[in-house]
Amino acid sequence: MNQIFENSNQWLNDLVSYIPGKPIEDVARELGLEPSQIVKLASNENPLGPSPMAVKAMQEALLKAHFYPDGGGYHLRVGIAEKFGLSIGNVMLGNGSNEIIEFLGHAFLQPGDNIVTAEHAFVVYKILAKLFGAEAIEVPDPNLTHDLPAMADAINDRTKIVYIANPNNPTGTMVGEHELDRFIDRVPKNVVIALDEAYYEFLPEPPDTLKYLGNHPNVIALRTFSKIQGLAGLRIGYGLAHEELITLLQKTRQPFNVNSIAQAGALAGLRDEDYQAKTREVVSQGRDFLQAEFRKRDLEFVPSVANFILLKVGQGKVIFQKLLQQGMIVRAMDEYKLPEWIRVTVGTPEQNRRFLRDLDGVLITD
């Protein structure tokens, strides 16, 4: 081994990096296809594209791209605070909500500590815990839904953070407000509870998790502009928490961690209520359509409340590769310990029908 690596943090040796969905351009190049021939339903992106109001705001912001961004994100933080009836001190910004997960690691994790998460929750929690030399306690999730009483039981004196993805990625399941109430009352006050709510806008009646912020300084809600506003390429998310927790986490971020174009687009997207309503409508109708078609085909799936569906196809990686050859990008679930499953994002009506045609073709030949 090169001597420089002998001084590296040894717990990084078996760290497996996050594997994102394949980009359209890569698949086009590999298969010799035109990008227009490829449909990507792999990364839970918005099928309608970015918010039109956000696009306009970003175009205007480009004219000031020679200036550094507002390092404190004042206008966007105020906009978020006003939308949710909070103060600016309850809001922090991240280069995607993933960065705030990293901030939590910087603030709370050391080698030998642990986090608690559901067995089939977002893999980034475990990856980032490992980055800080911490262990991930994975609690079984019957019916692929978080078992909050079991997660509370799993907490020990080395637990620093508990992650609850609600709705959960990749299963599309959720836990209700009363279950969350009981769980939060059980968790020790010195353990951070991170409620990852990247998909909460797709819920007709989402749990009121912001009620916890006043009396529970250990609770933080993580949200993103990637999904409902269609701004995944900007990498911008936010955290909502008690002012004391936000003040601590602000110390862990880099200066100018959120660029000015993203701030402008996110603020406009936040206000684009018509676009968000249209997205919810398209996703709801598309999800119902796909799930009805899966029932007709006698295919097992997990009923979803998000903008994606977990579908059992037998050999998930094989089906993923066969669909890829057709120019249809979905997500294999091996890294989530679900090798028989794929995850498909709800697309436009045309994309959903194309997916079913391609799926039928590869299942016949499988």
Side-chain angles (χ1 to χ4, degrees), residues 62-243:
L62 281 172
L63 300 177
K64 298 181 181 180
H66 56 299
F67 293 118
Y68 281 101
D70 173 5
Y74 175 81
H75 294 290
L76 178 55
R77 289 172 65 210
V78 166
I80 293 169
E82 289 178 348
K83 182 176 179 68
F84 298 112
L86 303 171
S87 73
I88 187 173
N90 297 121
V91 184
M92 80 172 306
L93 305 178
N95 184 23
S97 55
N98 275 16
E99 189 181 34
I100 302 177
I101 297 172
E102 184 178 345
F103 294 159
L104 290 169
H106 282 298
F108 294 103
L109 295 178
Q110 298 181 33
D113 291 337
N114 69 61
I115 68 164
V116 171
T117 182
E119 182 178 6
H120 298 105
F122 190 34
V123 295
V124 166
Y125 311 143
K126 293 175 277 188
I127 291 172
L128 284 175
K130 189 70 175 179
L131 179 65
F132 294 98
E135 176 192 4
I137 297 176
E138 301 179 54
V139 178
D141 41 4
N143 301 315
L144 298 177
T145 302
H146 284 56
D147 185 343
L148 295 189
M151 292 178 71
D153 290 339
I155 294 171
N156 59 39
D157 59 1
R158 298 298 295 171
T159 303
K160 297 297 178 65
I161 308 170
V162 180
Y163 287 102
I164 300 171
N166 202 41
N168 182 47
N169 175 23
T171 65
T173 57
M174 67 170 289
V175 291
E177 190 169 332
H178 294 307
E179 296 171 273
L180 286 171
D181 290 345
R182 291 192 292 270
F183 175 78
I184 287 173
D185 286 341
R186 282 193 61 189
V187 174
K189 302 304 181 187
N190 64 339
V191 174
V192 174
I193 303 169
L195 304 175
D196 190 344
E197 300 181 322
Y199 302 93
Y200 94 103
E201 291 103 336
F202 295 104
L203 301 174
E205 297 182 9
D208 178 15
T209 52
L210 301 187
K211 68 182 181 182
Y212 304 128
L213 305 190
N215 298 321
H216 295 83
N218 60 327
V219 174
I220 183 168
L222 309 177
R223 296 181 180 176
T224 182
F225 291 95
S226 295
K227 310 303 179 184
I228 197 74
Q229 284 91 7
L231 302 177
L234 298 184
R235 305 309 305 127
I236 183 163
Y238 57 102
L240 305 173
H242 191 281
E243 289 192 21

Side-chain angles (χ1 to χ4, degrees), residues 40-56:
K40 184 184 179 189
L41 299 177
S43 301
N44 305 339
E45 294 150 334
N46 193 313
L48 301 183
S51 152
M53 287 176 59
V55 171
K56 183 176 184 295

